[in-house]
């Protein structure tokens, strides 16, 4: 693939768009971002806050600790953090720098300010509306489809900014339908590593740092530490433990950023940290390591294009299968090993549900990585799942499409029931 090819340029741009830094779970941070922007437009601290959120946002914000808030959790807490201490210009690092004393202000604001949360269903799986008011003046910000996609800014009846959105399309982003496994494989084998060096280097640095913190500290259920204490320190266990430890920390208030993939820090860690452990084990040089990570990241994004940003389908599954692709490459596998690893992994664990961001995400990540490693060793030993073995299709692209259909269409009702369970209906 030549640098001048449309796909080559698109793939580099997709990596730039997707592998971004984020402090904390991305759904509450998107809410904090919207609230910070609304407060900025209002021009003062509000005395009333009204929040509208789609079901999947409610699900993913309900149980996760918001960083830099002294362990507050939930939708009102996320919005409050953005209002009191947010810098909207930092987008998904909106509350990365909270001044001393601001957490006390957050608690006081939560106690004294009316904050209402309403479920909204305007046909978007991902939707956040924040309206902040001071007396008769108000400001409103609306985000849809992905975490930083502000489509409306309104103040006192005047629309300062508006983008017309047609359904669940990701306007403003490079066309993800340009991704396919064969082209991804060609890209990672022919690319100039300098074109993605900065992006991947930052992912290695950020995600390794938070995983190491997860192993040092006491976060959530400490899945990463449990894995190492129980099963030892072989590469297979380390691959699972590092990704799980990163999630342990991130889901439970760690104030370190991660590099996300497809809008998710958990997915960003799942498709990078296991690959890094295998690279260390094999003594892979920088060139091969960066190609393996690029492969994993693009395979994860490719799968999520069909699944959607938020659904009842656990994103660890697609990210774990992507990590399997990177691991297969590092193990000396070619294209056939890579695609069969992805298919096998998806056949094993597709169907794991997403019941929001919380401590158990770390254990789901470990299970998805285990399936990916098993998927690789299956093919290496002459075993594989075949067409019509459940959701497995005729080839990797059909299987990925089948998973996307199941997640986006088939699991829509599942998502609705999970949300009802989580909000106590």
């Amino acid at each position: 693939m030549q640098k001048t090819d449309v796909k080559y340029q698109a793939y580099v741009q997709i990596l730039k768009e997707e592998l971004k830094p984020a402090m904390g779970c991305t759904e509450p941070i998107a809410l904090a971002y919207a609230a910070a922007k609304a407060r900025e437009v209002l021009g003062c601290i509000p005395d009333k806050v009204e929040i509208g959120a789609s079901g999947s946002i409610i699900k993913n914000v309900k149980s996760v600790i918001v960083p830099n808030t002294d362990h507050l959790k939930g939708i009102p807490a996320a919005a409050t953090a953005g209002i009191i201490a947010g810098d909207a210009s930092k987008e998904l690092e909106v509350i990365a720098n909270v001044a001393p004393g601001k957490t006390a202000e957050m608690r006081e604001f939560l106690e004294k300010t009316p904050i209402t949360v309403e479920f909204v269903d305007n046909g978007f799986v991902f939707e956040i509306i924040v309206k902040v008011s001071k007396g008769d003046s108000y400001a409103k910000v609306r985000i849809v489809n992905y975490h930083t996609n502000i489509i409306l800014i309104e103040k006192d009846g005047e629309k300062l900014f508006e983008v017309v959105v047609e359904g669940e399309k990701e306007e403003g982003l490079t066309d993800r339908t340009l991704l396919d496994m064969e082209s991804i494989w060609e890209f990672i084998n022919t690319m100039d590593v300098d074109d993605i060096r900065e992006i991947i280097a930052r992912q290695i640095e950020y995600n390794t740092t938070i995983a190491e913190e997860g192993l040092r500290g006491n976060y959530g259920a400490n899945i990463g530490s449990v894995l190492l204490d129980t099963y030892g320190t072989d590469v297979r266990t380390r691959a699972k433990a590092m990704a799980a430890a990163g999630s342990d920390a991130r889901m439970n208030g760690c104030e370190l950023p991660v590099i996300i993939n497809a809008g998710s820090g958990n997915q960003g860690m799942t498709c990078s940290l296991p690959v890094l452990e295998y690279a260390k084990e094999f003594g892979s040089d920088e060139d091969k390591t960066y190609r393996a990570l690029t492969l994993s990241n693009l395979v994860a994004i490719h799968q999520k294009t069909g699944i959607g940003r938020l659904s009842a389908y656990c994103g660890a599954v697609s990210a774990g299968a992507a990590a399997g692709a990177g691991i297969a490459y590092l193990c000396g596998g070619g294209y056939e090993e890579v695609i069969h690893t992805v298919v096998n992994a998806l056949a094993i664990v597709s169907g794991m549900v997403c019941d929001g961001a919380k401590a158990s995400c770390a254990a789901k990540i470990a299970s998805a990585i285990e399936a990916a490693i098993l998927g690789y060793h299956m093919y290496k030993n002459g075993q594989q799942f075949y067409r019509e073995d459940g959701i497995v299709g005729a080839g990797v692209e059909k299987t990925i499409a089948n998973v996307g259909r199941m997640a986006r269409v088939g699991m829509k009702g599942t998502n609705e029931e999970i949300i009802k369970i989580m909000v106590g209906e």
Side-chain angles (χ1 to χ4, degrees), residues 126-168:
F126 193 117
E127 181 171 12
I128 295 168
I129 304 168
V130 177
K131 180 181 178 182
V132 294
S133 304
K134 179 75 171 181
D136 294 331
S137 183
Y138 78 89
K140 181 191 291 186
V141 170
R142 184 181 179 211
I143 291 175
V144 299
N145 290 340
Y146 60 97
H147 297 75
T148 57
N149 189 37
I150 292 176
I151 66 160
L152 174 69
I153 300 173
E154 182 178 311
K155 183 177 184 183
D156 299 334
E158 181 185 357
K159 292 179 179 178
L160 307 179
F161 175 81
E162 185 175 27
V163 176
V164 177
V165 176
E166 297 179 7
E168 294 188 348

Side-chain angles (χ1 to χ4, degrees), residues 44-343:
C44 61
I45 299 297
D47 56 21
K48 181 181 178 182
V49 181
E50 299 165 82
I51 300 165
S54 59
S56 288
I57 295 295
I58 292 171
K59 179 182 73 173
N60 276 356
V61 181
K62 179 178 181 289
S63 302
V64 70
I65 293 172
V66 183
N68 283 331
T69 64
D70 193 23
H71 286 75
L72 296 174
K73 57 169 72 171
I75 290 175
T80 295
I83 290 166
I84 298 299
D87 178 354
S89 69
K90 298 294 183 64
E91 295 191 335
L92 295 184
E93 293 184 286
V94 58
I95 53 169
N97 299 303
V98 174
K102 287 292 183 180
T103 53
E105 286 185 43
M106 291 178 201
R107 290 188 180 277
E108 183 180 3
F109 185 84
L110 280 167
E111 290 171 5
K112 295 182 177 180
T113 309
I115 302 176
T116 59
V117 180
E118 178 187 6
F119 165 69
V120 296
D121 184 5
N122 296 315
F124 298 99
V125 173
F126 193 117
E127 181 171 12
I128 295 168
I129 304 168
V130 177
K131 180 181 178 182
V132 294
S133 304
K134 179 75 171 181
D136 294 331
S137 183
Y138 78 89
K140 181 191 291 186
V141 170
R142 184 181 179 211
I143 291 175
V144 299
N145 290 340
Y146 60 97
H147 297 75
T148 57
N149 189 37
I150 292 176
I151 66 160
L152 174 69
I153 300 173
E154 182 178 311
K155 183 177 184 183
D156 299 334
E158 181 185 357
K159 292 179 179 178
L160 307 179
F161 175 81
E162 185 175 27
V163 176
V164 177
V165 176
E166 297 179 7
E168 294 188 348
K169 295 179 182 178
E170 297 190 342
E171 291 86 351
L173 297 181
T174 304
D175 183 5
R176 304 300 191 254
T177 64
L178 291 170
L179 292 166
D180 64 84
M181 290 296 296
E182 193 171 349
S183 297
I184 291 170
W185 178 253
E186 183 184 358
F187 175 76
I188 71 105
N189 280 291
T190 59
M191 71 182 185
D192 181 346
V193 171
D194 284 340
D195 289 338
I196 52 85
R197 186 182 304 280
E198 183 178 352
I199 310 164
I200 299 299
R202 186 173 61 175
Q203 184 181 53
I204 294 170
E205 178 189 355
Y206 282 33
N207 293 1
T208 299
T209 299
I210 196 170
E212 290 172 346
E213 171 60 23
L215 291 176
R216 278 193 301 268
N218 180 19
Y219 294 98
N222 294 302
I223 300 300
S225 299
V226 168
L227 285 165
L228 294 174
D229 291 344
T230 305
Y231 301 110
T233 58
D234 62 281
V235 66
R236 183 171 178 165
T237 304
R238 296 198 319 269
K240 294 183 286 186
M242 284 294 282
S247 180
D248 286 328
R250 183 171 170 273
M251 293 291 94
N252 294 281
C254 179
E255 292 157 3
L256 287 170
V258 301
I259 298 301
I260 64 176
N261 179 294
S264 165
N266 278 343
Q267 290 167 50
M269 291 184 291
T270 302
C271 68
S272 60
L273 290 165
V275 177
L276 281 170
E277 287 305 308
Y278 271 83
K280 291 175 190 174
E281 181 73 9
F282 297 147
S284 302
D285 62 20
E286 183 182 81
D287 183 88
K288 187 153 191 174
T289 300
Y290 278 45
R291 292 181 194 278
L293 286 166
T294 302
L295 172 62
S296 181
N297 278 293
L298 287 174
V299 171
I301 297 163
H302 178 33
Q303 293 175 81
K304 287 293 286 185
T305 300
I307 293 167
R309 298 269 168 180
L310 300 176
S311 72
Y313 186 92
C314 177
V317 174
S318 49
I327 290 167
Y329 171 78
L330 288 173
C331 289
Y335 181 66
E336 290 300 315
E337 285 80 4
V338 164
I339 61 173
H340 281 93
T341 296
V342 171
V343 170

